Amino acid sequence: MKIDFENPAPKGRPREFDIDEALAAALRVFWMRGYEGASMAELTAEMGITKPSLYAAFGNKEALFRKALDLYEREKMAFMNAALAEPTSRRVAERLLEGIYKMQTSTCDPKGCLGVMSSLAGTPEASSIRECVIERQKGSRAALIARLDRAREEGDLPADIDTEALARFMTAIFQGLTLQARAGASPDELKSLADMALRTWPGR
């Protein structure tokens, strides 16, 4: 979406930058630094805009982060919805682990998970961001639990399986993969962890 009008708008100068490109740049900064570690100076430099332009287009830093998080979930985590549509619980698990693995071994994006990093934000100023991210994580986990509940009802998982515990187990594996990738684990090391998780999967 290019905004570059030739004639001045009645309420001030037009934005002479691509909003989508600027938001993608902001996402990369937040992904690398976390919400607290991303300074306004680095954000504006990477986005190629001035601070007044950032405020005019996106609002404050918190509003910018929320828009970046929306983009992250829409583009980088799209595989999660596709995984939940798989016909068996094992295929769900395989698709989820495959998506996480591919994202963490990609050379195009930063390593780690934006959600995990942001949920650990510790300052009072970042409390609303932390709460926002945690609520979104709860929503994702609820969707996974619902899919596992269906698998149990269909006989694809043991009748006595604790689907909430199984969903938390998968979440822990996802978070472990992202944290290890950020710490420098090799693709082979990440794959071995994902394979180990699948070997313990209770469904067929």
Side-chain angles (χ1 to χ4, degrees), residues 96-140:
L96 287 171
L97 288 167
E98 178 183 287
I100 293 289
Y101 173 81
K102 286 183 176 179
M103 186 169 70
Q104 297 307 316
T105 56
S106 168
T107 58
C108 302
D109 296 315
K111 301 295 185 290
C113 174
L114 178 62
V116 172
M117 292 173 60
S118 303
S119 66
L120 299 176
T123 64
E125 292 78 10
S127 60
S128 62
I129 290 297
R130 183 174 60 252
E131 291 167 5
C132 169
V133 171
I134 290 173
E135 283 303 309
R136 294 196 191 200
Q137 290 174 337
K138 287 180 180 178
S140 296

Side-chain angles (χ1 to χ4, degrees), residues 87-92 94 151 154-158 201-204:
T88 68
S89 66
R90 174 170 286 276
R91 279 298 300 145
V92 170
E94 289 174 346
E154 294 171 347
D156 181 43
L157 285 171
W201 190 257
R204 59 178 183 273

